[in-house]
């Protein structure tokens, strides 16, 4: 069987991460110095799709490490509604693989006009978004042929973590970021075959997480829909108990993405509760009564562990798509660059 573009690009993630860390170090240092000088009291993010999941990941990371609140700004505020925002004492981070979508670019320009320090995270350093920003972190991921973003998603989050580590001058996160390529290589070897067997003919599932892992749950749910034709919804492991768990009955599949952080005990409790309702629960990073434990890479910084989990998930989902009869490179009705206004 011919290897898919997606499979090749997932396998390239450790090398892409190493390339970013090597080639974009000066850009990270420049942006971090600008962040320290600006000392923002607020961060806003601008992104769509997988890039917005990367922004959600960075929201949790920044709030946990820097104590600075982070909010997502709808690009249409600038591109459609033409409403200026007061962003003095703020920084704005735009995340886009292509850096081309007109609404993202317009919001970056509007944020700068409103007084924000603007930083672009993109795979194309010459893109309109990059040119409209005060600083740019080039992902160095190389061409991504598959419609489903994988290596660009991982490097986008890694870029944000590298920026955060340098901005806050945090030695532990700096070390974790430097070790990311090796952690990603380990994640490629994870065996999630029990989950693949359960989902080969499934029609829907829930994906759960807390903190930065909630962003990975959202990204996973998108990939289930995008590559496998499988309806998936992502929830916080707390939020799922406020209504959505009502439809969880016998053999309903649930993937709970746990890592070794402060939220793990609550995630394990939620997994056990849903398993007691009859759900087929699969859990990473911990154990829960009635749940099947899936392997993950251990011993990682809690802000890197969820991202590493995404690498193993990408290898899993590419194989699951083919098992379900889908071409993971060409999802129906989608194209690589989506330009919205």
């Amino acid at each position: 069987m011919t290897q898919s573009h997606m499979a090749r690009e997932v396998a390239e993630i450790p090398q892409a991460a190493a390339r970013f860390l090597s080639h974009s170090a000066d850009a990270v240092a420049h942006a971090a110095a600008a962040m320290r000088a600006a000392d923002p009291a607020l961060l806003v993010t601008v992104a769509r799709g997988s890039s917005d999941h990367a922004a959600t990941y960075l929201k949790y990371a920044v709030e946990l490490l820097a104590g600075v609140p982070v909010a997502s700004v709808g690009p249409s505020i600038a591109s459609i509604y033409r409403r200026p925002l007061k962003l003095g004492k703020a920084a704005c981070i735009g995340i886009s693989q292509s850096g081309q979508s007109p609404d993202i670019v317009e919001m970056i320009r509007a944020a700068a006009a409103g007084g924000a320090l603007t930083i672009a995270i993109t795979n194309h350093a010459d893109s309109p978004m990059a040119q409209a920003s005060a600083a740019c972190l080039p992902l160095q991921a190389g061409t991504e042929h598959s419609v489903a973003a994988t290596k660009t998603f991982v490097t986008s989050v890694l870029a944000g973590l590298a920026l955060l580590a340098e901005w806050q001058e945090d030695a532990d996160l700096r070390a974790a970021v430097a070790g990311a390529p090796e952690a990603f290589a380990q994640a490629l070897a994870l065996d999630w075959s029990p989950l693949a067997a359960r989902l080969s003919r499934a029609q829907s599932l829930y994906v759960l997480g807390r903190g930065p892992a909630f962003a990975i749950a959202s990204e996973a749910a998108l990939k289930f829909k995008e590559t496998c034709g499988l309806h998936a919804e992502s929830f916080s492991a707390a939020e799922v108990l406020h209504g959505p768990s009502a439809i969880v009955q016998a053999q309903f599949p649930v993937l709970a993405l746990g890592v070794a952080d402060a939220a793990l005990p609550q995630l394990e409790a939620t997994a056990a509760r849903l398993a007691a309702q009859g759900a087929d629960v699969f859990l990473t990073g911990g154990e829960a009564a009635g749940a099947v434990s899936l392997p993950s890479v251990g011993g990682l910084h809690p802000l890197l562990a969820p991202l590493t989990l995404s690498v193993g998930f990408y290898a899993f989902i590419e194989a699951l798509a083919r098992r379900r009869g889908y071409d993971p490179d060409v999802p129906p009705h989608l194209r690589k660059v989506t330009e919205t206004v």
Side-chain angles (χ1 to χ4, degrees):
M1 179 180 296
T2 303
Q3 189 180 43
S4 69
H5 288 306
M6 184 178 180
R8 284 192 293 272
E9 287 157 10
V10 170
E12 290 170 9
I13 288 173
Q15 291 77 25
R19 202 159 49 239
F20 167 79
L21 295 175
S22 173
H23 296 346
S24 291
D26 289 345
V28 171
H30 168 73
M35 289 286 282
R36 286 193 298 273
D39 190 22
L42 169 70
L43 262 66
V44 296
T45 60
V46 186
R48 292 198 186 279
S50 287
S51 294
D52 199 35
H53 301 153
T56 299
Y57 194 112
L58 297 181
K59 167 188 170 62
Y60 283 103
V62 168
E63 290 176 350
L64 286 168
L65 190 66
V68 176
V70 182
S72 173
V73 177
S76 62
I77 295 298
S79 64
I80 297 292
Y81 297 106
R82 304 293 177 181
R83 183 67 171 98
L85 295 178
K86 299 175 182 178
L87 293 174
K89 202 59 178 173
C92 176
I93 298 178
I95 308 176
S96 170
Q97 301 156 41
S98 68
Q100 295 181 27
S101 191
D103 54 349
I104 304 292
V105 176
E106 187 62 29
M107 189 66 239
I108 290 291
R109 289 177 178 146
L117 167 67
T118 53
I119 299 173
I121 297 178
T122 179
N123 203 31
H124 296 274
D126 59 349
S127 65
M129 184 183 76
Q131 293 173 358
S133 300
C136 176
L137 305 184
L139 297 181
Q140 314 286 353
T143 302
E144 193 170 59
H145 295 283
S146 180
V147 169
T150 54
K151 60 179 179 175
T152 54
F153 172 84
V154 173
T155 50
S156 291
V157 177
L158 186 64
L161 293 177
L163 174 62
L164 175 60
E166 295 305 316
W167 166 32
Q168 294 295 300
E169 299 179 306
D170 187 280
D172 289 342
L173 186 56
R174 277 173 171 163
V177 166
E182 174 57 30
F184 297 161
Q186 293 179 49
L188 290 174
L190 296 176
D191 180 7
W192 287 10
S193 54
L195 180 61
R198 174 62 189 87
L199 297 182
S200 61
R201 291 181 174 83
Q203 294 182 321
S204 62
L205 79 152
Y206 282 171
V207 190
L208 311 181
R210 290 298 298 269
F214 170 64
I216 302 304
S218 299
E219 171 65 5
L222 173 63
K223 288 297 188 285
F224 276 120
K225 292 187 279 265
E226 192 176 38
T227 67
C228 296
L230 205 168
H231 177 248
E233 291 189 71
S234 60
F235 293 101
S236 155
E239 195 67 33
V240 74
L241 302 179
H242 289 257
S245 62
I247 70 168
V248 175
Q249 299 176 353
Q251 298 183 312
F252 188 97
V254 175
L255 172 58
L257 299 175
V259 298
D261 68 3
L264 183 59
Q266 189 277 334
L267 183 77
E268 291 174 323
T270 298
R273 176 170 168 175
L274 295 177
Q277 290 180 215
D280 291 336
V281 180
F282 297 82
L283 172 66
T284 71
E287 296 182 354
V292 175
S293 293
L294 298 176
S296 58
V297 179
L300 300 176
H301 191 292
L303 294 184
L304 182 69
L307 182 60
T308 304
L309 207 54
S310 75
V311 178
F313 172 81
Y314 283 149
F316 156 81
I317 199 70
E318 188 277 338
L320 180 64
R322 290 186 286 102
R323 182 170 179 168
R324 288 173 60 91
Y326 286 82
D327 180 350
D329 289 336
V330 191
H333 314 301
L334 297 177
R335 58 182 181 176
K336 184 61 183 172
V337 177
T338 302
E339 296 186 3
T340 49
V341 294

